[in-house]
Amino acid sequence: MTQTFFVLGDQLSTGVEPWPILSPDNVILMIESEALICQPRHLTRVGLYLSAMRNFAQELRQKGFVVDYRRAADFTQGLHDHQREFCPTEISMNAPRGRHARALFLRLGVVLLPDPFFLTNVEEVRSRPKKPTSMEPFYRAQRLRLNVLMEGTEPVGGQWNFDTENRKPLPRGGGTWPEPWSAALTQDEVALMNELAPTHPGANALDVWPRTRAQAIEQLHDAILRIIPLFGPHEDAASSDNWHLAHSRLSPALNMGLLHPAEVVEAVSAAFAAGRIPLASAEGFLRQIIGWREWVYVLHHLRTAEYEQENFLAATHPLPESFATMGTHEMRCLNAVLRHLHDYGWNHHIERLMVLANSATLSGMNPLALTRWMTGAYVDGAEWVMEANVIGMGTFADGGDTGTKPYIGGGNYVNKMTNFCKGCAFSPTERIGPAACPLTTLYWDFLIRHEAPLAKVHRIAPQRKAALARPDRAEITAQAPNAVAIVLGRRHSSP
Ligand SMILES: Cc1cc2nc3c(=O)[nH]c(=O)nc-3n(C[C@H](O)[C@H](O)[C@H](O)COP(=O)(O)OP(=O)(O)OC[C@H]3O[C@@H](n4cnc5c(N)ncnc54)[C@H](O)[C@@H]3O)c2cc1C
């Protein structure tokens, strides 16, 4: 009697449960869903998942497993076709990370086993008498529980974080940054990308992302050797001339299951202990893995489907056309970030948060539309991780349920941390007039426009009070529609 184990494209590991107890008697099912492939997602993202899935299936066959690798109109059809052909007594799978996928496969009668790709058990968090209310206490509890950078019950170095050392702007002259890890495409991958290119936006950057477990391990070791030691100081900076700076770019490998967070934590902790990574960089990086990544995963499962509809600031504008096409934008900051996204299917955190999400929040783009666009545009995009990052941290659409204040900044902040403003037609220091930077105008307008909903957000009270007291308040409000039109790409003439 056949028992089927079904593997999704973000579960590409044999190093987790229940693989040790699977045998050649089990059929491993993998499905390429045309419904997903045909969506207008970034070319590199679609190619990355397909290539990694095909490589994984091949590795499984080499290990002696029977693999039913099939293409179907969608997962429902694929499961149905598999059942007809193999008549399995049971189909099981590791629980998908996304709420929608979990509901779908439960409905289809698939047995869901625990999700082994994280360090935190959601049910354990759910049952805690005092649930963590924000990332920081959750992170400190993770440090203790997982014994990461700890000396007994105290943090190594006597501090839980080194943010003050990690907030440096882009160095003068732009700095020099380690070349990204890459691996040449195989002939099959070249053929795959050629097949997908006519129907998907974005460039072919498959070579800079790992498509096999061996490549993912290579990328991790390369990141530990050349990149993570430099991560801390400039983690909040960005450059129009460099798309990666000192960011590890491990998110796709982690999100596809090619790397497990436990092995990343172990390897980085060992490099720190050996003196190869400074404490500020090691702590800054490990916080992302055991803190933020686990936190947004837990939040996704503690919340219900209604969460994605949250829209605290009633933001209804559609996204600019240039987001969908990843094309040009007359604001240099958006132009640079969209170019990076077009070329690589990825932006580092500051480009996502302080340029894309910031522009969206200030101009009133719809948060769910932004979430859906980002999910398809990014090589690491997924429902479980986008939700808290976009609806919560990025746009404050949940009114402070994820972050304690809106992450907003005007042109001056962007100009301080990046070189995006160089050569821009708009001036970051000007709020009013034809050359005013739309982000600067909208930063103040946002605080004035949302006076009522922001009244209870204590962490932004000083900025709100300063905005309300501005002598040029009326002019800012009058200028705002023009600034919104520029961000949304709906203005016809240049300044
Ligand atoms: C608006 C917005 C959208 C985002 N969308 C995604 C997404 O679709 N997929 C995704 O994996 N991350 C997302 N993030 C989080 C973060 O920006 C990326 O994980 C990070 O940029 C990946 O680059 P890296 O691997 O170099 O990260 P590093 O800075 O090197 O961090 C190491 C790892 O920590 C994890 N991590 C760091 N920050 C976060 C975070 N806020 N949430 C979850 N994991 C985190 C990632 O797995 C990352 O690989 C988003 C953030 C924002 C503000």
Side-chain angles (χ1 to χ4, degrees):
M1 286 297 223
T2 304
Q3 285 220 357
T4 294
F5 185 64
F6 177 34
V7 178
L8 293 173
D10 59 359
Q11 300 176 329
L12 305 181
S13 172
T14 54
V16 292
E17 297 293 334
W19 283 94
I21 55 160
L22 296 183
S23 71
D25 297 338
N26 292 96
V27 173
I28 310 301
L29 170 63
M30 297 180 75
I31 300 172
E32 289 185 1
S33 158
E34 274 160 15
L36 286 181
I37 296 168
C38 293
Q39 284 177 14
R41 297 180 162 192
H42 195 290
L43 169 66
T44 299
R45 180 202 160 91
V46 180
L48 178 62
Y49 271 80
L50 290 179
S51 175
M53 283 173 67
R54 291 174 189 186
N55 291 334
F56 187 69
Q58 203 172 329
E59 285 168 21
L60 291 179
R61 288 193 181 110
Q62 282 161 1
K63 287 182 179 169
F65 285 101
V66 176
V67 183
D68 177 27
Y69 191 96
R70 56 176 65 235
R71 187 176 271 228
D74 53 26
F75 287 126
T76 308
Q77 186 65 48
L79 279 165
H80 184 73
D81 293 348
H82 171 82
Q83 268 163 327
R84 243 194 358 225
E85 205 172 311
F86 288 80
C87 301
T89 49
E90 178 183 281
I91 301 182
S92 62
M93 70 189 299
N94 287 130
R97 259 157 260 164
R99 184 187 300 125
H100 282 105
R102 271 191 196 188
L104 170 72
F105 294 120
L106 271 179
R107 240 187 358 259
L108 293 171
V110 179
V111 176
L112 301 190
L113 307 174
D115 176 359
F117 288 93
F118 285 82
L119 303 166
T120 316
N121 181 327
V122 178
E123 294 318 313
E124 187 276 315
V125 179
R126 203 193 299 275
S127 69
R128 285 183 201 170
K130 196 166 171 254
K131 286 180 215 25
T133 49
S134 65
M135 206 308 269
E136 192 57 32
F138 174 80
Y139 166 61
R140 293 185 188 189
Q142 294 282 84
R143 289 266 297 267
L144 267 168
R145 185 174 72 82
L146 301 167
N147 193 23
V148 175
L149 298 181
M150 295 301 294
E151 275 162 355
T153 54
E154 292 304 311
V156 170
Q159 280 170 239
W160 290 100
N161 76 60
F162 298 85
D163 276 353
T164 46
E165 294 171 39
N166 286 354
R167 296 252 160 91
K168 296 196 171 53
L170 193 68
R172 274 185 180 281
T176 46
W177 307 100
E179 272 305 298
W181 172 94
S182 67
L185 269 53
T186 62
Q187 280 185 353
D188 285 349
E189 287 173 334
V190 171
L192 169 68
M193 296 310 274
N194 287 341
E195 189 191 314
L196 294 170
T199 45
H200 290 81
N204 174 0
L206 190 58
D207 62 329
V208 299
W209 305 109
R211 291 89 68 193
T212 63
R213 163 84 179 145
Q215 289 174 349
I217 293 172
E218 201 183 287
Q219 192 201 12
L220 170 63
H221 290 308
D222 180 64
I224 288 173
L225 191 69
R226 298 188 306 127
I227 298 167
I228 299 172
L230 308 174
F231 173 66
H234 300 286
E235 68 178 277
D236 283 359
S239 165
S240 52
D241 311 314
N242 188 292
W243 63 283
H244 48 79
L245 303 183
H247 293 271
S248 73
R249 301 190 305 110
L250 292 173
S251 47
L254 278 161
N255 291 0
M256 288 192 295
L258 293 173
L259 288 176
H260 195 281
E263 67 187 324
V264 175
V265 171
E266 202 181 306
V268 172
S269 302
F272 163 71
R276 288 188 275 120
I277 301 180
L279 179 55
S281 291
E283 188 283 317
F285 176 82
L286 289 169
R287 177 159 16 123
Q288 313 304 320
I289 303 283
I290 65 167
W292 276 111
R293 187 168 190 273
E294 298 281 318
W295 178 233
V296 301
Y297 167 72
V298 168
L299 284 179
H300 182 68
H301 290 289
L302 293 182
R303 288 169 172 162
T304 60
E306 283 72 48
Y307 178 81
E308 67 171 24
Q309 303 292 338
E310 298 242 1
N311 197 349
F312 180 67
L313 299 170
T316 53
H317 288 306
L319 307 191
E321 180 63 21
S322 55
F323 278 32
T325 59
M326 293 170 276
T328 56
H329 197 286
E330 67 175 315
M331 291 163 65
R332 285 265 175 140
C333 52
L334 278 168
N335 195 54
V337 171
L338 289 169
R339 181 164 42 80
H340 293 162
L341 180 58
H342 172 274
D343 290 351
Y344 302 101
W346 183 89
N347 292 119
H348 62 72
H349 190 67
I350 292 306
E351 294 189 341
R352 296 183 204 209
L353 185 63
M354 289 318 294
V355 179
L356 290 173
N358 184 30
S359 305
T361 309
L362 294 181
S363 65
M365 291 180 214
N366 181 260
L368 184 55
L370 185 70
T371 311
R372 292 197 170 141
W373 168 68
M374 283 188 161
T375 305
Y378 283 101
V379 283
D380 58 20
E383 182 197 6
W384 66 270
V385 62
M386 277 294 169
E387 197 176 77
N389 272 306
V390 183
I391 305 281
M393 189 189 333
T395 60
F396 205 67
D398 66 3
D401 212 36
T402 304
T404 46
K405 63 167 186 172
Y407 282 93
I408 51 166
N412 276 332
Y413 178 77
V414 174
N415 193 30
K416 185 177 128 202
M417 301 304 291
T418 77
N419 65 0
F420 291 149
C421 303
K422 212 167 125 199
C424 188
F426 304 105
S427 164
T429 55
E430 289 181 46
R431 289 178 298 280
I432 313 291
C437 168
L439 296 184
T440 306
T441 310
L442 290 176
Y443 172 79
W444 294 107
D445 176 65
F446 177 91
L447 294 163
I448 297 165
R449 190 172 8 122
H450 295 302
E451 179 189 354
L454 294 181
K456 287 194 191 127
V457 185
H458 303 301
R459 282 192 67 204
I460 205 148
Q463 292 92 322
R464 196 176 55 89
K465 278 193 194 125
L468 295 174
R470 285 208 76 90
D472 55 358
R473 200 180 141 159
E475 288 97 318
I476 290 170
T477 303
Q479 172 103 9
N482 186 48
V484 169
I486 296 169
V487 176
L488 298 181
R490 292 204 203 138
R491 196 177 69 126
H492 299 298
S493 62
S494 306

